[in-house]
Amino acid sequence: MNEKELLKEYYHILKLKPDKSRMADQVKTRAAMMMAMRDNGLKVEHIAQVFEVDHTTVVHHNKKHESNLKFWSDYERRYIVAQGLCGSSIKKKAMKWKIKQLQSTISRLSRMKEELEEQ
């Protein structure tokens, strides 16, 4: 599941129609998912692209996350839902990327070994 599909599922679970408004429900929903994505290894710039916002918006929500959990009504529930969705989807993607990186490193080291053995 890509990040756009993940967002669609998230809004469906929360029974909300996504929009770009500054209404509290929309801001809480976006902020909670941004932080779940961040906590699951996505880079700020990538999250900003998914939400079609500037990266500073993601940075802002990151700074406010702890106080939002304490003081923003229903934010924690949205964050938990987002974490559940991201945990399974994004971690699989991250593991695939790590495997690809390891395979690349193994190939590079194998070539180096062969070159050293030839010398």
Side-chain angles (χ1 to χ4, degrees), residues 10-11 29 33 41 56 69 78 80-81 91 111-112 117:
Y10 175 59
Y11 277 96
T29 302
M33 179 53 92
T56 58
L69 284 170
R78 294 164 201 252
I80 290 168
V81 170
K91 284 184 181 175
R111 284 191 304 274
M112 285 176 61
E117 287 175 342

Side-chain angles (χ1 to χ4, degrees), residues 3 37 42-51 58 93:
E3 289 80 12
M37 287 178 167
L42 290 184
K43 295 185 179 194
V44 169
E45 294 79 9
H46 183 72
I47 297 167
Q49 286 177 343
V50 171
F51 283 88
V58 181
K93 198 176 215 179

Side-chain angles (χ1 to χ4, degrees), residues 54-103:
D54 189 79
H55 77 281
T56 58
T57 301
V58 181
V59 172
H60 170 77
H61 287 306
N62 190 49
K63 286 179 184 176
K64 297 290 186 179
H65 180 62
E66 289 302 317
S67 68
N68 288 348
L69 284 170
K70 290 178 186 175
F71 304 111
W72 215 358
S73 170
D74 204 40
Y75 177 82
E76 184 176 18
R77 180 182 71 85
R78 294 164 201 252
Y79 176 67
I80 290 168
V81 170
Q83 276 285 34
L85 284 170
C86 288
S88 58
S89 179
I90 292 175
K91 284 184 181 175
K92 284 180 188 175
K93 198 176 215 179
M95 287 189 329
K96 286 179 182 178
W97 182 83
K98 286 179 184 178
I99 290 169
K100 185 178 177 182
Q101 292 297 94
L102 285 171
Q103 288 172 333

